[in-house]
Amino acid sequence: MPTIDGISDMVIRTTMTHAIQEVMRTMLNQSADFHSEIDARKPGDTASETAGSQVVGTVGFIGDIDGLIYLYLDTEFAEEAAAHLLGLTDEELEQVGDEAINDAIGELTNMTVGTFKNQLCDRGYHCKLTIPSILRGSNFSIEPTSSVTRRTYHFEVGRHRIITDLLMKIDR
Amino acid sequence: MRYKILTVDDSKTVRIIVKKAFRTFDCDIIEASNGVEGLAGAAKERPDVILLDVTMPVMDGVEMLTKLKADPALRSIPVIMLTAEGGRDSVIKIARIGVRDYIVKPFREEVLVDKVGRVIDLKPLSENPLKAKSILDSATILVVEDKPAIVQQIQDGLKHTPWKIHGVATINESVDFCTRNQPDVVLVSLSLPDDAAFTLFGLICTNVRTKYTPVFGLVVKTEIQAQQQAQQIGFTSIVTKPLDIPDLEAKISKAMNLDTSQRYFTTDQDVFVLKMPEIASQSSVNEMLTYLKPKMAEAVDAGICKVILDLHELKRLDVIAIKALLQALQLCRELGLQHVLVGNPQIASESQGFEDTKSWTFANSLEEAKASLARTSPSFSAQPAAAGA
């Protein structure tokens, strides 16, 4: 069975970048640019990147490798993305409420994590997706247990940003 | 019969995107949010195709697919996977259970429609199927022609219509246009380099959004070989250069199955007006006569008993025009309708030269004709003795 040691930092970064770019281009007709890697060992760095009201989608993957990806979108971007996906005006989106936005961001996260993990599957790391879930809030941080490897990236999408936070188990 | 598409996905967003993708097609979308609901929906509705996600609560897509294929009553329903599970091994494993196609999320709506269109014969949904489009409705005409002068001639010639004429010079531009718009008719020059017209025709015919779009070939009159080739592969019609704009307009109207009766027939309060065109060509007269009986019957049914035969725009009173007018007058008499002719000095003069028309008298304007009809006995008419010949 392949181990996570076989996946370099560069592979993780390019795989994640491809996933984000593919989903943004196909579903939102927007280009996404890699901006920077955030040092997750410094909680302050992550917190400053995700300050303000956030909609966070989460989808896991389990199999030869286990992991979880959080997708952070500021609320304004989440609303714009949901309106685009659902073909709704701002007023119509307001009527359908947060549930529709949550579902749309959950699906965007599902697609992103799917594209990420499908590339790993094709490298021999077989795994399956889990069902999406959503977190909402401001100024919160996610702290993993010590037995995970973590990579956090900042992407620019138009005037918005997306933060991807990847956590993978390292000891199996 | 409307096709039924069953979308099985726990994400309401995906189900909405599916509905959005097919909203312009004549089909019903049925929704299910997991495999259990999907199997129940398949058994109840017998859809023509199922779009199936993999990762779902209650029952996932693989289990639903396995159960579906094990059910003799349902196994023949084509399934297209629509899922974020796209690893090579997963795809192979699921494909072995029996699927028609596999779409990995993220996906474009056009790809979804294209793949479904390969399984069922999707037909575009007309805006209002109960009402035929008329010549007063707007339409989009795409002209694929690398000679700007021809595009200009078509734009100028058809500027009196509500149609929007878009000119593009290359096949790539036309494909690009068709992905953003849905043209009602495409005119393509058969003299584009590298047989591009025939390549474009193939693309239009295989695209689910445009496969029913009429395609005309534009070609010089003497290029017989290109005309024959276009006819053989199924071009809707051939339009020859130099262009005959009235003929082009008639062909476009026919291809779009437009109701053209408004060109000839209107109702002005309690008066039914038949308007002869400026030039009474055989094709325009034939078109007018197609509508004559039903339109006049419709008017009588609505309580109208006065008719104006308006010839004031007609440039020449020839045999074609006279025959058509005699038919209209005969119908007026059969239905017992009061009728009045409106003409111009030229027509009034020419009418004296024919045995059948020499007794015709004309009002000079619609107002004069209406005033005449308002009196019991019209003073401008075709007398039975003369018109009945």
Side-chain angles (χ1 to χ4, degrees):
Chain A
M1 184 188 292
T3 68
I4 195 164
D5 300 337
I7 310 173
S8 69
D9 282 355
M10 182 55 76
V11 167
I12 291 174
R13 187 176 126 178
T14 53
T15 305
M16 185 67 82
T17 303
H18 170 75
I20 286 285
Q21 288 177 336
E22 182 72 10
V23 172
M24 291 299 119
R25 183 173 56 243
T26 309
M27 303 310 296
L28 301 182
N29 206 20
Q30 295 217 49
S31 61
D33 296 313
F34 177 82
H35 180 271
S36 57
E37 180 166 359
I38 300 162
D39 188 349
R41 287 169 301 185
K42 298 178 187 169
D45 286 5
T46 312
S48 68
E49 292 280 357
T50 58
S53 175
Q54 300 283 318
V55 180
V56 185
T58 319
V59 170
F61 46 95
I62 48 172
D64 290 349
I65 47 169
D66 295 343
L68 198 59
I69 295 175
Y70 294 90
L71 209 67
Y72 289 73
L73 285 81
D74 61 74
T75 303
E76 189 190 351
F77 186 25
E79 288 171 356
E80 278 182 30
H84 184 95
L85 281 175
L86 302 171
L88 300 177
T89 63
D90 292 347
E91 292 74 30
E92 288 167 337
L93 188 70
E94 204 168 308
Q95 285 171 3
V96 296
D98 287 350
E99 198 184 324
I101 298 167
N102 290 351
D103 191 81
I105 300 309
E107 189 52 37
L108 272 186
T109 312
N110 181 48
M111 292 176 183
T112 305
V113 180
T115 308
F116 176 82
K117 79 93 192 163
N118 288 340
Q119 294 172 84
L120 297 187
C121 287
D122 291 344
R123 285 172 170 265
Y125 300 92
H126 301 294
C127 47
K128 288 181 175 179
L129 294 170
T130 66
I131 290 165
S133 60
I134 292 288
L135 293 166
R136 271 178 178 264
S138 302
N139 304 319
F140 59 85
S141 65
I142 291 155
E143 299 300 330
T145 59
S146 57
S147 59
V148 299
T149 184
R150 185 176 194 180
R151 298 288 180 275
T152 309
Y153 304 118
H154 172 168
F155 295 91
E156 296 282 338
V157 184
R159 61 191 178 87
H160 297 288
R161 68 182 161 196
I162 286 183
I163 306 297
T164 63
D165 197 4
L166 163 71
L167 296 99
M168 282 201 290
K169 262 192 182 175
I170 49 177
D171 52 338
R172 291 192 48 86
Chain B
M1 184 200 76
R2 282 169 74 86
Y3 285 108
K4 291 178 184 174
I5 300 170
L6 171 61
T7 169
V8 187
D9 201 305
D10 59 327
S11 165
K12 195 173 179 183
T13 300
V14 172
R15 302 198 307 266
I16 289 171
I17 294 171
V18 169
K19 281 203 275 189
K20 196 152 60 81
F22 292 99
R23 71 185 182 279
T24 57
F25 295 95
D26 191 19
C27 59
D28 291 322
I29 307 294
I30 304 147
E31 296 179 56
S33 64
N34 58 57
V36 172
E37 285 182 18
L39 281 172
K44 186 182 169 200
E45 300 285 349
R46 299 300 166 104
D48 298 285
V49 63
I50 297 173
L51 300 171
L52 182 57
D53 188 19
V54 171
T55 310
M56 293 181 289
V58 187
M59 182 192 286
D60 70 17
V62 177
E63 189 179 347
M64 176 184 155
L65 180 65
T66 308
K67 285 185 173 5
L68 190 88
K69 291 298 168 188
D71 186 334
L74 305 177
R75 67 181 356 148
S76 63
I77 300 172
V79 175
I80 296 177
M81 301 306 295
L82 179 59
T83 173
E85 281 288 355
R88 206 177 298 127
D89 291 349
S90 289
V91 174
I92 292 168
K93 187 181 143 201
I94 291 168
R96 280 190 182 137
I97 307 172
V99 297
R100 188 64 71 90
D101 216 326
Y102 206 109
I103 303 171
V104 180
K105 298 173 184 174
F107 63 100
R108 288 196 184 280
E109 289 177 24
E110 306 89 82
V111 173
L112 179 64
V113 170
D114 181 52
K115 300 242 182 196
V116 170
R118 290 177 196 185
V119 178
I120 57 176
D121 184 23
L122 282 173
K123 289 187 172 65
L125 189 67
S126 60
E127 282 170 25
N128 185 347
L130 298 175
K131 190 183 168 205
K133 276 187 103 177
S134 89
I135 48 166
L136 304 177
D137 295 323
S138 68
T140 303
I141 316 292
L142 176 64
V143 183
V144 189
E145 170 64 87
D146 56 358
K147 322 281 186 312
I150 297 291
V151 177
Q152 193 63 50
Q153 278 178 34
I154 294 171
Q155 285 172 333
D156 291 345
L158 297 177
K159 69 181 174 196
H160 62 281
T161 70
W163 304 337
K164 291 183 187 122
I165 317 293
H166 296 269
V168 295
T170 66
I171 188 169
N172 286 342
E173 285 176 272
S174 52
V175 169
D176 194 38
F177 182 88
C178 289
T179 56
R180 286 180 283 106
N181 308 274
Q182 198 160 353
D184 294 285
V185 172
V186 177
L187 280 72
V188 54
S189 169
L190 301 184
S191 61
L192 290 173
D194 305 321
D195 283 340
F198 299 100
T199 307
L200 179 63
F201 181 80
L203 292 172
I204 288 171
C205 290
T206 51
N207 185 309
V208 71
R209 282 165 58 84
T210 53
K211 67 182 175 183
Y212 294 105
T213 305
V215 183
F216 292 3
L218 280 167
V219 63
V220 175
K221 213 171 204 167
T222 50
E223 296 285 338
I224 304 298
Q225 199 181 341
Q227 292 180 38
Q228 286 173 343
Q229 194 184 349
Q231 279 165 339
Q232 275 168 8
I233 71 164
F235 273 67
T236 311
S237 186
I238 302 296
V239 176
T240 55
K241 303 175 195 174
L243 295 170
D244 175 349
I245 294 293
D247 178 61
L248 173 63
E249 187 180 341
K251 280 180 171 166
I252 292 174
S253 301
K254 192 178 171 194
M256 289 198 287
N257 198 23
L258 296 184
D259 176 0
T260 54
S261 62
Q262 290 98 331
R263 275 194 193 128
Y264 313 103
F265 304 100
T266 52
T267 302
D268 186 352
Q269 292 175 333
D270 62 341
V271 180
F272 179 73
V273 181
L274 182 160
K275 185 180 165 191
M276 285 295 281
E278 202 175 295
I279 297 164
S281 66
Q282 191 62 62
S283 62
S284 63
V285 164
N286 286 347
E287 186 176 60
M288 185 185 82
L289 292 177
T290 309
Y291 295 109
L292 179 65
K293 269 193 179 178
K295 283 288 162 187
M296 218 174 254
E298 200 178 284
V300 171
D301 188 45
I304 290 172
C305 54
K306 297 171 185 172
V307 176
I308 293 175
L309 305 174
D310 181 6
L311 286 61
H312 87 275
E313 282 188 1
L314 186 65
K315 287 196 168 161
R316 194 166 153 250
L317 188 66
D318 59 11
V319 175
I320 294 171
I322 292 170
K323 278 186 177 173
L325 288 163
L326 289 175
Q327 277 196 43
L329 289 165
Q330 179 64 26
L331 198 56
C332 286
R333 280 192 289 274
E334 282 172 14
L335 291 166
L337 303 173
Q338 277 184 278
H339 55 273
V340 169
L341 293 159
V342 175
N344 57 46
Q346 167 86 11
I347 294 300
S349 163
E350 287 179 359
S351 70
Q352 298 305 306
F354 298 94
E355 190 62 30
D356 287 339
T357 62
K358 66 182 179 188
S359 62
W360 290 4
T361 53
F362 296 90
N364 292 315
S365 68
L366 284 172
E367 289 65 35
E368 199 177 310
K370 280 184 206 165
S372 172
L373 283 168
R375 295 188 287 271
T376 315
S377 179
S379 18
F380 311 104
S381 65
Q383 297 304 316

